[in-house]
């Protein structure tokens, strides 16, 4: 078989695309969005510079929708570009009331990630013009050639996926409480609109005496920063899934549904839920040493630690740790933080973890913030999906517009099964 070999288990060291969307330096704990490879020929610096917007600056000074524009179109927007993008995304927030029936078809206690995965695929059934099998492949070849109508169509799909991500997430949240759905409000930011849809009192709610809900500005800002941090992360498992699926040219909603399914797993986006379950099972700081011993015996997993690429630290975890203190100042300190801090400090000093270059990742602290905000545990991965839709659609658009066209992703394998065998009739089998 032409010398095929398994390059590496789990794509350990395989580059599947060239991209300029996100730059990660795993050895130095660097994350930048929309980097530009600049060859500097100054004598003392011949190497290629990878300039981009450091995640620390974007988290401190930008907004989620501004970063979304940057990731998708490659540059920070002007004022008019940002207001157009914002109004288009918010305009596409509402969903046809048919979708209410779709959500009501789930058991009330279905996992919200299962609902969301199905809901993205359901959305794909709406927008025929997104579906090349109805339109033929020329939809994307035209867009790649710069055809204005095809590009506008592609943008409209992107506005829909980002705008409806919060609406679908809010519907998955409210169906489980038996509460009416909330039409996305106007006059709010993307994140405030999301928080409003989650907890706004419908007329039925008011009858049940629930208190009125206003998104707290500190919590809305904290969620916006968390959305910026989760927006993209180059070729993680879910983004790779979106591109693998997208490479056969289904509608983009179906590709995003596939990415959502990948993010559901506890090794990926489900880790923030797994961290809280882990901390609750540890119970208190005094049980941390015994827990870490169980991890070393591979009886337990230290969720929220380790990363395929970051081998020193995940820069996002430092930013999230600070956001946690700001949130706790509003919501009150979660006693689970004591166990989290004890676990964090003990693992970072333990040779077993140090020798394996295991450090806290983006999920170690985020679950504590979502818990302080009052979200149910199994809703935490949904809060990862909403911002990651932006990274998925940015990579999808980059692939669809690649000048060399879209090539279906079809890796090979190394066959290790039995050699040729003859068929044995049933009556002769033992
Ligand atoms: C995200 O890819 C991305 O960018 C993902 C993400 C994004 O933004 O999209 O950053 C988001 O998914 C973060 C990761 C969330 N997952 C978790 O926190 C789950 C716990 N982490 C592990 O499952 C693990 O660290 C992974 C899955 C994240 C990475 O797995 P790898 O790359 O296969 O781990 P590895 O091969 O580098 O492990 C090296 C060693 C192994 O030990 P040995 O077999 O060599 O003795 O470290 C061990 C692993 O067993 N190890 C762990 C561990 N993670 C790795 N041991 C205990 N606890 C852990 N968490």
């Amino acid at each position: 078989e032409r010398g095929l070999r398994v390059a590496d288990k789990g794509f350990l060291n395989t580059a599947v695309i060239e991209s300029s969307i996100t730059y990660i330096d795993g050895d130095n704990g660097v994350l930048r969005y929309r980097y530009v490879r600049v060859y500097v020929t100054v004598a003392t610096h011949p190497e290629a510079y990878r300039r981009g917007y450091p995640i620390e600056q974007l988290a401190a000074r930008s907004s989620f929708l501004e970063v979304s524009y940057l990731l998708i179109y490659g540059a920070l927007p002007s004022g008019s570009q940002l207001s157009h993008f914002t109004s288009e995304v918010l305009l596409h927030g509402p969903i046809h009331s048919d979708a209410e029936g779709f959500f009501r078809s789930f058991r009330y206690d279905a996992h919200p990630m299962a609902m969301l995965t199905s809901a993205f695929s359901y959305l794909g059934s709406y927008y025929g013009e997104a579906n090349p099998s109805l339109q033929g492949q020329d939809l994307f070849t035209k867009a790649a050639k710069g055809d204005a109508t095809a590009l506008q169509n592609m943008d409209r799909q992107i506005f829909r996926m980002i705008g409806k991500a919060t609406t679908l997430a809010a519907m998955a949240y409210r169906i489980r409480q038996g509460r009416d759905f909330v039409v996305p409000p106007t006059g709010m930011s993307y994140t405030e609109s999301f928080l409003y849809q989650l907890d706004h009192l419908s007329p039925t709610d008011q009858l049940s005496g629930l208190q009125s809900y206003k998104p707290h500005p500190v919590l809305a800002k904290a969620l916006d920063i968390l959305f910026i941090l989760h927006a993209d992360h180059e070729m993680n498992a879910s983004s790779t899934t979106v591109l693998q699926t997208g490479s056969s040219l289904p509608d983009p909603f179906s590709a995003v549904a596939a990415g959502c399914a990948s993010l559901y797993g506890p090794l990926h986006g489900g880790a923030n839920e797994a961290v809280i379950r882990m901390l609750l099972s540890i119970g208190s700081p005094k049980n941390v040493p015994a827990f870490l011993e169980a991890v070393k015996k591979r009886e337990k997993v230290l969720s929220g630690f380790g990363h395929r690429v970051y081998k020193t630290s995940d820069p996002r975890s430092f930013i999230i740790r600070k956001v946690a203190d700001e949130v706790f100042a509003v919501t009150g300190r979660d006693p689970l933080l004591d166990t989290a801090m004890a676990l964090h400090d003990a693992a970072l000093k333990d040779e077993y973890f140090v020798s394996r270059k295991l450090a806290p990742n983006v999920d170690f602290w985020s679950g504590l913030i979502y818990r302080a905000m009052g979200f149910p545990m199994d809703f935490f991965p949904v809060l990862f999906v909403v911002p990651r839709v932006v990274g998925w659609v940015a990579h999808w658009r980059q692939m669809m517009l690649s000048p060399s066209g879209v090539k279906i992703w079809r890796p090979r394998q190394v066959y290790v099964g039995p050699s040729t065998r003859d068929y044995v009739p049933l009556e002769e089998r033992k």
Side-chain angles (χ1 to χ4, degrees):
E1 269 149 340
R2 292 182 299 142
L4 283 175
R5 60 177 184 77
V6 176
D8 43 41
K9 202 163 164 234
F11 289 164
L12 262 174
N13 191 27
T14 301
V16 288
I17 55 165
E18 288 192 349
S19 172
S20 57
I21 295 175
T22 291
Y23 172 63
I24 300 176
D25 175 347
D27 295 331
N28 297 299
V30 171
L31 171 58
R32 295 187 191 140
Y33 286 161
R34 276 301 181 180
Y35 75 94
V36 176
R37 184 195 287 263
V38 175
Y39 285 95
V40 178
T41 52
V42 172
T44 51
H45 300 287
E47 74 279 2
Y49 269 92
R50 293 184 189 276
R51 291 213 178 101
Y53 295 97
I55 194 67
E56 294 79 5
Q57 288 185 24
L58 294 172
R61 301 167 63 186
S62 188
S63 68
F64 173 64
L65 278 192
E66 183 177 74
V67 168
S68 301
Y69 186 100
L70 170 66
L71 287 167
I72 294 165
Y73 299 108
L76 286 172
S78 64
S80 59
Q81 286 169 329
L82 182 57
S83 58
H84 174 257
F85 180 75
T86 301
S87 55
E88 284 291 343
V89 165
L90 295 176
L91 178 77
H92 285 88
I95 286 199
H96 195 287
S97 56
D98 287 0
E100 296 190 11
F102 170 78
F103 272 94
R104 293 201 199 290
S105 66
F106 286 99
R107 267 175 58 107
Y108 77 94
D109 59 351
H111 196 291
M113 282 295 283
M115 291 196 242
L116 204 52
T117 301
S118 320
F120 277 117
S121 190
Y122 177 79
L123 272 194
S125 67
Y126 272 45
Y127 302 110
E129 80 272 25
N131 192 333
S133 55
L134 304 177
Q135 305 271 331
Q137 296 179 353
D138 63 348
L139 182 73
F140 299 116
T141 40
K142 276 184 187 161
K145 290 192 178 101
D147 175 278
T149 312
L151 281 170
Q152 270 167 10
N153 179 331
M154 186 175 275
D155 278 346
R156 192 165 49 246
Q157 306 314 338
I158 288 172
F159 298 144
R160 283 174 172 149
M161 277 184 277
I162 301 173
K164 293 174 185 3
T166 48
T167 312
L168 295 177
M171 292 175 89
Y173 180 83
R174 290 183 72 106
I175 192 82
R176 294 154 47 85
Q177 299 164 358
R179 294 169 67 186
D180 305 338
F181 298 121
V182 176
V183 176
T186 53
M188 289 188 178
S189 75
Y190 182 80
T191 316
E192 284 166 343
S193 161
F194 179 42
L195 287 169
Y196 179 93
Q197 291 178 70
L198 288 172
D199 282 323
H200 172 66
L201 293 186
S202 67
T204 324
D205 288 337
Q206 279 155 15
L207 290 175
S208 55
L210 279 171
Q211 296 305 311
S212 73
Y213 179 83
K214 297 242 176 329
H216 190 292
V218 169
L219 302 189
K221 179 62 184 161
L223 196 59
D224 204 71
I225 292 173
L226 284 165
F227 279 6
I228 289 172
L229 298 177
H230 285 87
D232 189 55
H233 213 238
E234 56 130 284
M235 278 299 104
N236 55 85
S238 53
S239 298
T240 306
T241 305
V242 169
L243 294 187
Q244 172 75 54
T245 308
S247 73
S248 70
L249 298 183
D251 67 271
F253 300 88
S254 301
V256 163
C260 199
S262 169
L263 196 66
Y264 191 174
L267 295 187
H268 189 11
N272 53 19
E273 176 184 353
V275 166
I276 298 300
R277 294 186 192 282
M278 170 187 73
L279 294 175
L280 289 168
S281 72
I282 294 172
S284 88
K286 67 177 171 31
N287 300 330
V288 162
F291 173 77
L292 289 180
E293 286 314 306
V295 170
K296 294 176 194 175
K297 290 186 208 127
R298 298 174 192 257
E299 292 158 6
K300 303 257 184 192
V301 170
L302 176 51
S303 288
F305 259 67
H307 198 277
R308 175 58 58 81
V309 180
Y310 291 123
K311 295 307 174 190
T312 46
S313 60
D314 182 337
R316 300 169 295 180
S317 63
F318 301 113
I319 302 168
I320 288 187
R321 180 69 190 85
K322 278 196 217 112
V323 171
D325 289 337
E326 288 155 19
V327 167
F328 290 141
V330 170
T331 63
R333 193 175 190 280
D334 185 337
L336 221 45
L337 187 62
D338 299 329
T339 305
M341 299 278 289
L343 184 61
H344 170 273
D345 298 348
L348 286 182
K349 284 188 284 222
D350 188 308
E351 183 48 28
Y352 178 91
F353 301 99
V354 173
S355 64
R356 289 169 172 78
K357 300 182 180 174
L358 301 178
N361 57 47
V362 69
D363 293 296
F364 187 73
W365 302 110
S366 59
L368 283 164
I369 294 174
Y370 297 143
R371 179 177 147 94
M373 288 181 173
F375 290 111
M377 245 185 298
D378 59 7
F379 196 72
F380 295 178
V382 171
L383 298 167
F384 197 143
V385 169
V386 169
R388 189 51 60 90
V389 165
V390 168
W392 292 339
V393 297
H395 284 285
W396 173 78
R397 181 177 186 274
Q398 177 181 254
M399 177 161 81
M400 291 299 127
L401 297 184
S402 55
S404 54
V406 182
K407 204 144 181 65
I408 193 166
W409 287 15
R410 202 283 185 208
R412 296 300 310 278
Q413 62 163 22
V414 171
Y415 177 72
V416 293
S419 56
T420 312
R421 294 180 288 180
D422 294 326
Y423 179 78
V424 177
L426 184 59
E427 60 279 6
E428 292 172 23
R429 285 174 222 157
K430 295 195 182 35

